[in-house]
Amino acid sequence: SSDPLVIFTPSGKRGNFPVGTPVLTAARQLGVDLDSVCGGRGICSKCQVTPSVGEFPKHGVTVSEDALSEWNAVEERYKSKRGLIDGRRLGCQATVQGDVVIDVPPESQVHKQVVRKRAEARDITMNPSTRLYYVEVEEPDMHKPSGDLQRLYEALKNQWDVDVQRVEMNILQDVQKVLRQGQWKVTVAVHLGDHLRRPKIMHVWPGFYEGTIYGLAVDLGSTTIAAHLCDLKSGEVIASSGLMNPQIRFGEDLMSRVSYSMMNEGGDLEMTRAVREGMNALFVQLAAEAGVDKALIVDAVFVCNPVMHHLFLGIDPFELGQAPFALATNESISLSAHELDLNIHPSARIYLLPCIAGHVGADAAAVALSEAPDKSEELVLVVDVGTNAEILLGNTDKVLACSSPTGPAFEGAQISSGQRAAPGAIEKVEINPETKEPRFRVIGSEIWSDEDGFSEAIATTGITGICGSGIIEVIAEMRIAGILDASGLIGSAEQTGSARCIADGRTNAYLLWDGSADGGPTITVTNPDIRAIQMAKAALYSGARLLMDKFGVDTVDRVTLAGAFGAHISAKHAMVLGMIPDCTIDKVTSAGNAAGTGARIALLNTDARREIEETVRKIEKIETAVEPRFQEHFVNASAIPNSVEPFPILE
Ligand code: FES
């Protein structure tokens, strides 16, 4: 054809178009992802492109200076008023005049990629459920009587092919005023709906709305509530914050909260109120930090364990406290913010991921979405370490899931000098196998205890205790240095030749730090400490091992440690303890807060919601409580590293 050839990068899509075709039109026809909020009226600048000039042997074209039309008045006005980056054109105004190569920068793509920092993680493709549309609405006419709202619906249908027929009362109350204020030009935020809900107008602004809209990704844990505030246009996290779960005053762990609601009339509702209030406080904090109006938060995704899920929704968690651990519902849930008393945009869409089973919640589903074991060729074990460990094992063939009651020892509870991970806590430990002398590092300082400047650094943080990752390291190091035997007993001073092994009742303890001369704490690792960690790690390992039995394998290709705690565990030490199955050490990686990331994926990409619902339906649930082999694995895994399983990696 003699029509000019238009080639878009990075997609590589190409086609011939008559002279005078707007670039945006060409992009639309080729299915190139080029954004537009104003529908080609030269207002929004979302359609920006960068045309190139010169030889393109790869594409077989030469592009001349005048391949695109001269600047028209609309484009000139936009540039002089708001400015455009050098070399950029408005795709809706510039028209094709000759063969041309046109680059669509990431900001101009609707389905842009939000890049995740880890090599093994998928990028997130933007596909938010709520979008902005600028429309021009027909004015009322006595001869063709119709409601203002109906003409707004029509405009959305004709100009954007968006079929809306639902609106909340607050929009209906405002719509006439806003339409006239904007002189029949308005920007509309539309929740496009999903398989659960039909499209719906969320908000209407007079004229062209310059700003953006926001969403929340919330990881509602039993100890902390963590949330990301995200820009729904760019996908960026603009503020992140966390808060202690106010339900802690009703019980430290989940089961004590379930029993609180059993013992106290209305106790479940008290806890529901507390968690929603906490959540609202967190949202205020996030909005303030980002300088954003809370009413612009139009979408939110929540992930949580089953008990938190029920208490958040106002469902009595009674059934979750006893076998057979029946959930009120295991499917995903979609509702409005006002139904949960959440103080954001009143009709903001709230989405809760599906639960996998009575013990394996929407948080585990979120981990599955983030880590995608079902898309891995390699057999991957994903462990989210908390007071309950959620464990997933799978590959493209199938995925199995279970949870295992590890208890709070990994968080520093039940440990004599244990504490939460905070400045002053010992987090890294090495013990010299010859001298049995320790060196360590505390949170808040980069300096090891045997280096010059340690005392100076410690003067600022102090030494207050030992955190979960520190206790794992010290116990593993004690085992390597021969201070500790496989059964978990600490040797005496004579047996080990170290004066740090001190008698402690009928057993021995290892003295890690004596700060008594300065009035500081004395930090020892006692036999009960070792027991607590043995129980916790045995629970974790046996859950993983049980899934391996069910899968019919003795080894895994890859281990991913998730959760705030998981991010800090050293792979080597976890393996020396026999906490995770033997695996090549560089195949053990940390995923950080994978549940929170899963929530963010579901927030930014509405298709991911359907994807995880399908995945969860296919995940095979294993209930550890009824599996006799779990007990057997548990007994074997109490030894360090294990009484029967080989750990060749340690050789
Ligand atoms: Fe809005 Fe081009 S599409 S300025």
Side-chain angles (χ1 to χ4, degrees):
S1 128
S2 58
D3 284 338
L5 177 63
V6 181
I7 299 169
F8 286 96
T9 56
S11 67
K13 291 185 175 154
R14 52 164 70 203
N16 293 89
F17 292 90
V19 168
T21 307
V23 171
L24 180 63
T25 308
R28 286 279 146 83
Q29 286 181 18
L30 291 173
V32 169
D33 180 14
L34 178 55
D35 200 2
S36 158
V37 170
C38 73
R41 294 182 178 87
I43 303 172
C44 71
S45 86
K46 298 291 177 199
C47 60
Q48 288 183 43
V49 291
T50 314
S52 311
V53 172
E55 296 271 347
F56 294 88
K58 199 174 108 203
H59 299 304
V61 290
T62 305
V63 180
S64 68
E65 292 276 356
D66 45 16
L68 290 187
S69 56
E70 301 263 301
W71 291 64
N72 68 13
V74 175
E75 210 177 4
E76 288 288 4
R77 191 173 30 164
Y78 187 90
K79 184 167 180 153
S80 65
K81 269 196 172 162
R82 313 209 172 262
L84 266 180
I85 299 177
D86 257 359
R88 289 272 177 90
R89 299 290 303 266
L90 292 183
C92 63
Q93 302 302 318
T95 62
V96 175
Q97 303 295 323
D99 291 351
V100 66
V101 175
I102 296 170
D103 186 56
V104 181
E107 318 83 276
S108 301
Q109 298 169 14
V110 180
H111 304 288
K112 51 187 139 303
Q113 302 283 316
V114 179
V115 179
R116 292 172 65 187
K117 290 185 191 86
R118 288 163 45 229
E120 63 274 23
R122 290 186 292 170
D123 290 341
I124 306 170
T125 305
M126 286 298 289
N127 191 13
S129 60
T130 306
R131 303 243 180 103
L132 296 175
Y133 298 99
Y134 174 81
V135 284
E136 296 181 358
V137 180
E138 219 177 291
E139 293 187 29
D141 178 348
M142 273 204 298
H143 304 291
K144 288 189 286 173
S146 73
D148 284 345
L149 186 64
Q150 283 63 44
R151 269 172 282 110
L152 175 57
Y153 287 163
E154 251 164 57
L156 278 165
K157 177 78 189 136
N158 296 339
Q159 292 163 42
W160 291 101
D161 202 22
V162 172
D163 199 1
V164 184
Q165 272 150 35
R166 291 196 319 140
V167 80
E168 293 272 338
M169 203 53 209
N170 57 327
I171 302 288
L172 185 56
Q173 284 159 344
D174 281 351
V175 74
Q176 295 199 295
K177 221 172 21 198
V178 177
L179 281 167
R180 283 160 184 83
Q181 232 178 345
Q183 292 167 334
W184 305 97
K185 300 180 178 71
V186 290
T187 306
V188 190
V190 178
H191 184 277
L192 291 172
D194 45 36
H195 54 305
L196 301 169
R197 297 275 174 158
R198 312 255 321 270
K200 174 172 148 181
I201 294 183
M202 302 294 296
H203 206 86
V204 186
W205 292 266
F208 178 69
Y209 170 61
E210 295 277 346
T212 179
I213 44 178
Y214 302 93
L216 286 163
V218 186
D219 178 12
L220 170 53
S222 16
T223 314
T224 48
I225 310 173
H228 296 305
L229 179 64
C230 299
D231 182 325
L232 291 182
K233 290 290 310 175
S234 68
E236 266 164 60
V237 175
I238 53 167
S240 300
S241 195
L243 189 86
M244 282 287 241
N245 187 332
Q247 287 182 344
I248 284 181
R249 66 174 185 269
F250 303 100
E252 275 273 344
D253 58 63
L254 291 174
M255 279 310 134
S256 51
R257 282 178 223 170
V258 174
S259 39
Y260 180 86
S261 79
M262 280 160 60
M263 317 286 268
N264 300 276
E265 179 73 35
D268 54 329
L269 296 177
E270 257 181 279
M271 287 188 278
T272 298
R273 218 174 305 129
V275 73
R276 292 181 183 175
E277 275 167 17
M279 207 95 79
N280 280 327
L282 179 60
F283 298 163
V284 168
Q285 195 180 312
L286 279 169
E289 197 180 304
V292 159
D293 179 359
K294 275 203 300 4
L296 293 173
I297 302 174
V298 294
D299 205 354
V301 171
F302 289 80
V303 302
C304 43
N305 63 52
V307 174
M308 292 313 308
H309 175 274
H310 281 39
L311 284 173
F312 176 45
L313 291 173
I315 303 169
D316 188 340
F318 180 78
E319 294 299 335
L320 295 173
Q322 56 189 20
F325 312 108
L327 290 154
T329 174
N330 55 289
E331 293 197 342
S332 66
I333 289 176
S334 174
L335 26 75
S336 285
H338 63 77
E339 293 176 82
L340 294 171
D341 308 322
L342 296 180
N343 199 358
I344 48 180
H345 188 293
S347 42
R349 301 306 320 163
I350 307 297
Y351 176 82
L352 275 85
L353 265 70
C355 287
I356 297 178
H359 273 148
V360 195
D363 47 357
V367 171
L369 180 58
S370 166
E371 299 311 310
D374 56 315
K375 294 189 175 56
S376 167
E377 295 290 332
E378 292 177 309
L379 182 61
V380 55
L381 177 75
V382 186
V383 185
D384 193 344
V385 194
T387 45
N388 253 311
E390 269 99 37
I391 310 169
L392 300 164
L393 175 71
N395 58 17
T396 46
D397 285 344
K398 61 176 171 182
V399 177
L400 311 179
C402 74
S403 83
S404 196
T406 42
F410 288 143
E411 282 163 5
Q414 298 174 344
I415 304 294
S416 57
S417 296
Q419 66 159 89
R420 283 188 199 290
I426 294 174
E427 60 165 346
K428 295 226 150 289
V429 183
E430 274 174 18
I431 297 177
N432 183 318
E434 305 297 322
T435 63
K436 323 279 188 225
E437 283 301 296
R439 63 196 289 262
F440 55 82
R441 227 177 63 187
V442 303
I443 298 178
S445 153
E446 287 299 302
I447 299 168
W448 284 85
S449 59
D450 60 351
E451 284 166 20
D452 295 343
F454 178 72
S455 37
E456 225 174 291
I458 286 319
T460 55
T461 58
I463 296 179
T464 48
I466 185 160
C467 68
S469 65
I471 192 83
I472 284 175
E473 295 206 0
V474 72
I475 295 176
E477 289 285 320
M478 285 165 71
R479 179 81 183 94
I480 297 169
I483 297 167
L484 191 68
D485 69 12
S487 73
L489 283 177
I490 302 171
S492 64
E494 296 91 74
Q495 286 163 326
T496 61
S498 167
R500 287 187 177 268
C501 294
I502 51 178
D504 180 28
R506 283 188 294 145
T507 57
N508 301 304
Y510 178 74
L511 177 65
L512 187 58
W513 170 256
D514 184 358
S516 56
D518 303 323
T522 297
I523 296 174
T524 51
V525 180
T526 67
N527 220 259
D529 295 345
I530 309 258
R531 287 275 162 240
I533 290 296
Q534 276 176 297
M535 295 297 114
K537 75 98 182 175
L540 183 60
Y541 181 82
S542 13
R545 185 61 236 193
L546 186 67
L547 294 189
M548 289 161 70
D549 289 350
K550 296 276 170 190
F551 212 99
V553 295
D554 285 321
T555 54
V556 299
D557 300 327
R558 213 150 52 79
V559 178
T560 302
L561 297 168
F565 174 62
H568 290 104
I569 305 177
S570 116
K572 174 182 132 193
H573 293 105
M575 227 171 268
V576 170
L577 270 193
M579 204 173 137
I580 50 174
D582 184 58
C583 176
T584 318
I585 237 152
D586 58 12
K587 287 286 195 179
V588 183
T589 52
S590 142
N593 180 4
T597 306
R600 190 153 65 94
I601 297 172
L603 175 70
L604 298 179
N605 186 325
T606 173
D607 294 337
R609 301 181 188 184
R610 206 165 330 177
E611 181 192 319
I612 193 58
E613 287 164 16
E614 258 161 49
T615 307
V616 162
R617 255 174 246 134
K618 282 187 277 184
I619 290 178
E620 218 175 290
K621 298 98 193 162
I622 309 295
E623 179 52 67
T624 53
V626 299
E627 290 287 343
R629 295 226 47 191
F630 182 80
Q631 270 316 312
E632 196 181 309
H633 287 316
F634 186 88
V635 171
N636 297 336
S638 303
I640 304 173
N642 195 295
S643 55
V644 295
E645 304 280 344
F647 273 77
I649 195 84
L650 298 180
E651 303 302 323

